[in-house]
Amino acid sequence: SCSSSASSSSPSLCCSRPTLHIMHHLMTPVVYNFHKLTLSDGMPGPFAWAMRAGPREKIYFTPGKVKAAIVTCGGLCPGLNDVIRQLVITLEEYGVEDIKGIRYGFKGFFEQEGELRAPMKLDSDVVEMIHLDGGSILGSSRGGSSTSDIVDAVAEMGLDFLFVIGGNGSHAGALAIDNLCKERGVCTSVIGIPKTIDNDILLLDRTFGFQTAVDEAVKAIRSGAIEARSAQNGVGLVRLMGRQSGFIAMHAALASGEVDVCLIPEIPTPLDGPGGVLAHVRRVLKKKQHCVIVVAEGAGQDILDNLGETDASGNPVLQNFAKYVMKEMKEKMADLKCDIKYIDPTYMVRACPTNASDAIYCSILGQNAVHAAFAGLTGSSVGLCNGHYVYLPIAPLISRAREVDPEGRMWERLRLAINQPVYSVCDDETDCPLPLIRP
């Protein structure tokens, strides 16, 4: 058993429970390849062991005495309500009765004045239908948190479990909370559930909400394609989410079957010259009389001036490269009189409810997060890795953002599907990388 050394409901064992960094060497493992990643905190070599997620024979807490809290942090994402719902249902299945929802992100721990700020009492009746709606029943926010204040509130509330639903920044916050709880002797199991439609959390096959975001992005691309085909030299220019990683743009472009140009943060995007983006767009228009361009929000930042600003979560404030591409097309391709339709579906993508695949994924993540807490884990997260549901320590997950490999198979599949060249700065077309669309 993965919890063979534990006896249920022992406070002393709770506070000295093994963390995932110790346990991942001891558990019945799922072997999977970390590929070329360099991991820290004692994680072994290029191959590592991961603890299979799921319920354990023995648990560390008496369910009827457990106090649990759930918090959603960062931007909205399809599936937040699905995860909240399944956490509550699974906690009640164990016998937990005291379940609270922290309002509006981490700051809800210490900004609780007024009825709308106080923690929400959660039970199966409250969450029964929330999965049918987008957003988060608890609300969410970025930044504005003090780890010390949060741990003060955790201790005052007497929480045994804290479930943090969020992306890289939120997981960093969860890890800081867990570390400070250990320093202060606060016996709270802190479990992360990875959320980001950008799909940019390291080591995981995917994060919840990503597939729904791709579905919604495809709808926007097809609208752009209709606009483009309906005008002479029509251009549908679609800006999609993806600050550091172009997974949504790549997958949506491939799924739609209507994209001619896909620009993501991981590839160079020079606009000028025979090897640049504008020359390729010109060739597409000459051949098809219309063109569909997808731009991830983080693309082309090396071309624009770096603002040097950050948002409340510490993310760099990005300039709008898609609008810059539109301006350059109007100026440098004026002879073609392009009819450009600009589409940005960002908030439509974020706010919708999940598709069937993500709904199932969210349910499994919620169940396994509760199993992890009862098994005595802390400072860990749950996710799908190489087809297996596993528990992983938070630290390596947030060591950097997961990115599209511009030399990987999926990106090459997209390039082949849309006949996109490797954009480069070259003086002569004969020196530019193939493939190129020829007349």
Side-chain angles (χ1 to χ4, degrees), residues 385-403:
C385 187
N386 281 12
H388 297 282
Y389 288 94
V390 298
Y391 298 131
L392 292 166
I394 290 176
L397 291 181
I398 61 174
S399 59
R400 63 176 177 84
R402 181 187 179 209
E403 298 176 347

Side-chain angles (χ1 to χ4, degrees), residues 172-403:
L175 185 59
I177 292 167
D178 182 60
N179 288 335
L180 191 54
C181 282
K182 292 173 185 174
E183 288 180 18
R184 296 185 180 180
V186 177
C187 182
T188 302
S189 177
V190 182
I191 304 296
I193 299 101
K195 169 233 70 172
T196 163
I197 63 173
D198 288 353
N199 201 36
D200 61 353
I201 294 186
L202 207 57
L203 307 181
L204 300 183
D205 293 355
R206 63 184 173 95
T207 52
F208 78 79
F210 169 68
Q211 291 191 343
T212 303
V214 170
D215 284 353
E216 295 300 310
V218 167
K219 295 176 185 178
I221 291 171
R222 289 186 173 153
S223 295
I226 290 171
E227 291 286 353
R229 289 195 298 268
S230 301
Q232 185 176 12
N233 286 337
V235 177
L237 180 57
V238 183
R239 183 178 187 249
L240 297 177
M241 298 189 76
R243 301 183 60 85
Q244 297 172 276
S245 307
F247 287 102
I248 292 180
M250 177 177 68
H251 282 257
L254 187 57
S256 71
E258 305 207 60
V259 172
D260 302 292
V261 177
C262 183
L263 308 179
I264 61 174
E266 294 88 343
I267 67 168
T269 54
L271 296 185
D272 300 322
V277 173
L278 297 186
H280 181 58
V281 173
R282 184 179 287 273
R283 288 187 290 267
V284 173
L285 289 171
K286 185 175 181 181
K287 180 180 178 66
K288 299 171 58 177
Q289 286 75 56
H290 69 272
C291 181
V292 178
I293 304 171
V294 168
V295 182
E297 62 179 325
Q301 297 303 303
D302 56 320
I303 296 175
L304 306 176
D305 293 332
N306 191 334
L307 297 176
E309 300 175 0
T310 58
D311 62 18
S313 295
N315 301 311
V317 175
L318 303 177
Q319 297 217 57
N320 193 323
F321 185 62
K323 286 193 174 180
Y324 179 76
V325 170
M326 181 168 62
K327 178 181 76 70
E328 292 292 290
M329 287 179 63
K330 288 180 178 179
E331 293 178 0
K332 298 178 180 178
M333 299 173 62
D335 56 305
L336 296 180
K337 298 180 180 178
C338 296
D339 187 349
I340 304 174
K341 297 298 192 298
Y342 175 80
I343 298 174
D344 186 341
T346 295
Y347 294 102
M348 295 173 63
V349 169
R350 289 175 14 141
C352 65
T354 55
N355 63 12
S357 177
D358 268 329
I360 293 169
Y361 191 36
C362 289
S363 293
I364 297 171
L365 292 178
Q367 290 174 6
N368 283 328
V370 175
H371 297 325
F374 271 106
L377 300 185
T378 188
S380 60
S381 190
V382 59
L384 189 65
C385 187
N386 281 12
H388 297 282
Y389 288 94
V390 298
Y391 298 131
L392 292 166
I394 290 176
L397 291 181
I398 61 174
S399 59
R400 63 176 177 84
R402 181 187 179 209
E403 298 176 347

